[in-house]
Amino acid sequence: MMIGDVRGKGMQAVTLVNTLLGSFHAAALQLPDLPAIVRGVEVQLQDVKSRRADAPYEDFVTAVLVEIPPDPCVLRVANRGHPAPLMVHEGKATALEPREPSLPLGLGDLAGPDVPVDEFAWPPGATLVLFTDGIIEARDRNGVFFDPVPPLTVPLPPDPGAVLDTMLAALSRHTEELEDDAAALAVTHVPAGGERDGGTRPR
């Protein structure tokens, strides 16, 4: 899974979006693990930028890439400068912060080849929530940023749609209008015998 936020404007940003989606899809099908996928996406973004003599450093992509190993009780996460996902479970919402920061995709030439990957427990019934910074940068009339943790720190059913609806309802109460594009993705780990479900809320 991946959620990302492209920086930049105009056709350059559109090109980065298309490259990001295409390279991620190809890498996820062909490469063996999460670090290899991240490196594959990085190579493609660097190639696009290298073809433009005026490619500014602000043209990059913050992203979270998530791998579900054969043991579905664990998540492997590569966070490339993006807001930390939340794990919602048993009335708690916990931010899955990376142990060490990483540069966004498209800026890999400024860092080494290593791809930091964190592992987090994903117990049955827990919902993983990924979102772009358009959600946490939403302000109320007093200029206070939206924090998705408090509204999700309540008993919620193990259902991605219910979790997203709760977060977005709280967001709507917090602000009258978003200042930036926002997207959210939720996936719930359904216990054995059920089907893993997911939900998205683009806006």
Side-chain angles (χ1 to χ4, degrees), residues 12-200:
Q12 291 90 343
V14 173
T15 299
L16 283 182
V17 169
N18 291 336
T19 302
L20 174 69
L21 295 177
S23 60
F24 172 72
H25 180 70
L29 290 175
Q30 300 175 13
L31 299 179
D33 55 27
L34 188 56
I37 291 170
V38 173
R39 285 191 289 266
V41 173
E42 178 68 39
V43 166
Q44 294 299 317
L45 291 178
Q46 288 290 334
D47 179 62
V48 168
K49 292 183 66 174
S50 70
R51 300 182 190 188
R52 293 172 39 216
D54 62 339
Y57 279 113
E58 61 264 26
D59 283 2
F60 58 81
V61 183
T62 68
V64 170
L65 298 93
V66 181
E67 178 183 37
I68 303 175
D71 175 7
C73 289
V74 175
L75 292 174
R76 304 184 73 223
V77 180
N79 190 324
R80 309 298 290 194
H82 198 79
L86 297 177
M87 183 69 72
V88 179
H89 185 52
E90 295 183 342
K92 296 180 180 179
T94 304
L96 305 184
E97 297 285 355
R99 286 175 296 177
E100 57 182 285
S102 297
L103 290 173
L105 296 169
L107 299 180
D109 55 333
L110 303 178
D114 292 341
V115 178
V117 173
D118 297 286
E119 288 194 357
F120 300 97
W122 192 25
T127 298
L128 177 70
V129 184
L130 303 99
F131 48 85
T132 60
D133 61 7
I135 288 179
I136 58 173
E137 291 179 356
R139 300 173 185 261
D140 65 11
R141 64 182 60 186
N142 296 315
V144 177
F145 290 113
F146 177 70
D147 182 357
V149 171
L152 295 179
T153 307
V154 295
L156 292 169
D159 174 79
V163 172
L164 285 181
D165 287 344
T166 299
M167 183 178 73
L168 295 180
L171 177 62
S172 296
R173 292 192 298 269
H174 182 82
T175 186
E176 295 181 355
E177 184 177 358
L178 294 176
E179 297 180 0
D180 193 5
D181 293 336
L185 166 68
V187 180
T188 296
H189 180 186
V190 178
E195 296 182 358
R196 185 179 298 118
D197 197 3
T200 61

